[in-house]
Every structure is written in structure tokens, then in C-alpha cells.
Amino acid sequence: MLSYRFIAQQHIQQKGSELIENGGISELKELNVNGDRQFLLVEGQDKNKPFCLFLHGGPGSPFPYGVSARTLYPEITEHCVAVYYDQRGSGKSFNKDLSLTTMNLRQFTDDANVIVDYIRETYQQEQIFVIAQSFGTVIGTQLVAKYPEKFHAYMGISQLTSSSKGQELGYNWLKDEAIANDDTKTLQILKQLGKGPYLADAEDQFSGLINQYKGMNYYDEKIDKVNVISLIKGAFTSPDYSIQDLYKAFISGPQFSLIKSTELKKEIIETDFFDSVKRMDVPVYFIQGKYDKQTNYELAQQYYEFLDAPNGKQFSTLEHSAHYPNALDAEIIPQTIKRMVEAHY
């Protein structure tokens, strides 16, 4: 396995060198971000293209659009210079001295703002694009709403809108599904949980039920289940990830961010953009899985209709997906990135 990893790393490094030789960019950056050491991967086939900052999900899991993504997404780097960022407490940016007091949404948003200003100054970009996914949409939405002058446009993939409202809808959906399937065990668990909002262990238990009923990873007789390994496999061959970084990405980071950072999880559950972000002064793009019950599809549609976006907005449905984008919908994300970049750069 180590031999395979070494050979794969050499191949990826060679592809990165070819990008540079042909007028592109492929470089790892280490920054001091609000007193914390954090890492970026900057990659594009043409360094003169616009810059897109990716905010991965999690928290604590920098996949698929983190530092380990070198050369993995040519369908993205063809249209923009991608900035893949391991957030505070995630992947290569995790460190054991990180304080739990810094694990809050304001700090994550401030961190992202530092990254944005670094990109703008270092690469001479007056504005950039933000592409966020799942938990990253919490940061991205707050960031763009606060500093719209820094951005061409915003894209939210699996957009979080209101966790508590989503849990309420999810509860009703789970109850209907359990009744239809004569699933007395799930009905008993739902009765014990009540209607929420769910925090700590109750939230974990509720999310487990959502996953059990395919609200995270949808499949049926015509649609194959998403292979989650395919979303994280780049970490094992990344030339930018040491063995220690792999441990951080899969063990230390998730434990710290998802288990120990209880106040951060509470903040996420209490997030309600229907109250806090009613307007975004940039073009807005949402991409949502039709079967998503984690960042609820119906609620994302409601927020899209509710949101005041005077510079325009678009909503795209992943017809075969829940929270994890299915391979059958794979082309929609890069196609939307291409369309967004061409329209607003």
C-alpha cells in the first residue's frame, strides 16, 4: 500500500508540474490565520482564470474539496483557479494545541475572511467566487452576506438553511416512512426523542435515522448508493498529506470538531438563515439533492424563494442525490461552476 501511495503521489506531482509548465498553477500554501497554522491548495489550468474558494463540509472532515484534492478535479480547474482549504481543526490544518474556545462560527467566518483577503492580495483579485458545501455553507453564507463587495457570486451545494426547521421536517418524514414500513423500532425512538430541536447525542441519533432511511445517501433499484470512499480516497494518494495528516483528517479532526466541540455543534443546530440572512447582494446559486433530508431539500427551496437576491439567483436539483451528490448528477456541479464564472467574471 505504501508503494502504491508513493507511485500515485509521484504521478500527481508530475501532473501538477505539467499544469505549471502549461501556464497553470498548483501550489500548497501555509498561512497564519488568526493565530492558527492553516493550509491551502491553489490549483488551476490557467492562472489568469478567476479564483474560486471552496469551503468543505464537516466540520472536521476536509472532503472532497480540501487540500488533498490536488489534480483530482480537472473539470473544475478548467474553468477557475480552485482554492481548496482545510479549515480550522480539519485535515492538514488540525493541530493538537487548538483551543475549543476558537471553535465557533464567528471564528470560522473570520478565518475564511482572512483567506479571502490573502487570495485577493496575493493573486491580485479584486473579487473571488465562493463555493461551499454542507457545513461550509454556514460559513459561506455568513461570509458573503457580511462582505458582498469581495465576491463575484456565491454557490451553496447542500445548502444549510435552518437546522431546527429541517429537523422538524425530517421528524415528520421519518415518522411517515416508519409507519409505511411498519418500523416500530424507529417509531419508538422518535417518540423518545420528541420533536426537537436535537442537540448532542440526540442529534447524532436523529441523523442516524435520517441516514438509515436514505436521507443522506439515496439509492434504489435504479440508482446506486454513493461510494463514500470515492469522496475521500484522494487523501490516501495526496502528495500534500503525510501519514500524520491522514490521521488528523480521519481521526483527530473529526473527534475534535464533531465530538469535543459541543458549542460549535449547538451553534450549527441553532443557525436559522430565515432570520439572520434575508438578503445576499451577490448572485446566488443553490445545488440541492432531491432526496436530501440532512440539509432538507424542501426547506432549501423555501429559503431560495424567501431570499432577497437582487443580483439574481438560480436553483438546481440533483435528481438522483440526497446529501451526498450521486455520480449520476456529477456533471451538474462543474457545469454550474462554469456557467456561474462565465456569467459573473
Side-chain angles (χ1 to χ4, degrees):
M1 289 181 66
L2 288 175
S3 296
Y4 170 78
R5 171 176 156 85
F6 176 76
I7 293 169
Q9 287 175 325
Q10 296 296 307
H11 179 65
I12 291 169
Q13 286 176 321
Q14 178 60 36
K15 288 169 68 177
S17 297
E18 290 172 0
L19 280 179
I20 297 171
E21 291 170 2
N22 291 303
I25 184 171
S26 185
E27 56 190 24
L28 181 69
K29 294 287 188 176
E30 177 183 338
L31 281 68
N32 184 313
V33 180
N34 293 318
D36 184 46
R37 190 175 68 148
Q38 298 182 7
F39 290 85
L40 310 173
L41 175 70
V42 183
E43 183 168 87
Q45 298 177 36
D46 181 348
K47 60 186 176 183
N48 296 313
K49 294 279 188 180
F51 279 63
C52 293
L53 172 62
F54 284 78
L55 299 173
H56 63 69
S61 300
F63 307 110
Y65 304 122
V67 166
S68 64
R70 191 187 291 268
T71 75
L72 291 184
Y73 302 107
E75 68 275 15
I76 291 175
T77 57
E78 178 184 355
H79 307 299
C80 67
V81 176
V83 181
Y84 301 119
Y85 166 40
D86 280 8
Q87 301 160 19
R88 178 175 295 264
S90 297
K92 200 171 181 70
S93 294
F94 175 83
N95 71 81
K96 60 183 177 58
D97 297 321
L98 197 58
S99 171
L100 281 172
T101 61
T102 69
M103 298 295 285
N104 59 77
L105 293 180
R106 176 178 290 183
Q107 184 69 72
F108 274 79
T109 305
D110 287 347
D111 286 356
N113 189 44
V114 170
I115 300 299
V116 168
D117 286 344
Y118 172 82
I119 296 168
R120 294 170 68 223
E121 180 179 352
T122 303
Y123 300 101
Q124 300 179 340
Q125 302 290 310
E126 184 177 348
Q127 294 177 309
I128 69 169
F129 293 90
V130 169
I131 300 171
Q133 185 170 25
S134 191
F135 166 69
T137 66
V138 181
I139 306 166
T141 300
Q142 294 183 147
L143 179 70
V144 174
K146 188 173 183 179
Y147 306 106
E149 70 279 1
K150 298 181 181 182
F151 304 103
H152 294 296
Y154 167 77
M155 179 184 292
I157 305 167
S158 301
Q159 175 72 37
L160 186 145
T161 54
S162 169
S163 292
S164 59
K165 289 184 176 71
Q167 287 179 348
E168 183 178 347
L169 291 174
Y171 178 94
N172 293 331
W173 171 74
L174 280 170
K175 187 175 179 179
D176 290 343
E177 289 291 307
I179 291 172
N181 287 276
D182 196 23
D183 183 354
T184 56
K185 180 179 179 180
T186 293
L187 288 170
Q188 183 62 34
I189 294 172
L190 289 173
K191 184 177 180 180
Q192 292 171 351
L193 285 173
K195 288 199 172 184
Y198 310 113
L199 302 172
D201 292 342
E203 193 276 331
D204 292 338
Q205 193 172 21
F206 182 75
S207 292
L209 293 177
I210 292 289
N211 187 45
Q212 176 185 323
Y213 271 92
K214 309 176 188 177
M216 291 278 284
N217 191 350
Y218 184 79
Y219 61 96
D220 58 27
E221 63 278 0
K222 295 182 179 179
I223 301 172
D224 290 335
K225 192 174 185 178
V226 174
N227 180 0
V228 178
I229 298 298
S230 68
L231 303 177
I232 63 176
K233 65 181 181 180
F236 295 100
T237 55
S238 168
D240 304 296
Y241 264 33
S242 65
I243 298 298
Q244 184 180 20
D245 292 332
L246 288 173
Y247 188 83
K248 293 178 187 178
F250 293 107
I251 307 295
S252 304
Q255 285 182 346
F256 184 77
S257 302
L258 291 172
I259 299 174
K260 294 182 180 179
S261 299
T262 55
E263 288 302 310
L264 174 61
K265 286 189 70 175
K266 184 173 183 288
E267 274 194 285
I268 297 169
I269 299 302
E270 292 175 346
T271 294
D272 187 341
F273 288 139
F274 287 91
D275 287 334
S276 60
V277 180
K278 300 178 181 180
R279 175 185 171 112
M280 294 180 74
D281 289 312
V282 301
V284 174
Y285 293 75
F286 285 171
I287 300 178
Q288 207 81 8
K290 179 179 178 180
Y291 302 101
D292 190 348
K293 303 299 180 181
Q294 183 70 11
T295 52
N296 190 278
Y297 175 76
E298 290 79 10
L299 198 60
Q301 286 184 311
Q302 292 175 28
Y303 181 65
Y304 171 79
E305 295 297 334
F306 166 85
L307 181 66
D308 182 10
N311 295 297
K313 56 185 179 179
Q314 294 184 27
F315 190 102
S316 299
T317 297
L318 303 180
E319 294 287 348
H320 309 90
S321 304
H323 192 63
Y324 300 136
N326 193 282
L328 294 172
D329 298 317
E331 293 184 2
I332 293 176
I333 293 175
Q335 286 175 353
T336 307
I337 292 173
K338 179 178 184 289
R339 189 168 67 250
M340 176 180 70
V341 166
E342 290 178 345
H344 304 294
Y345 182 70

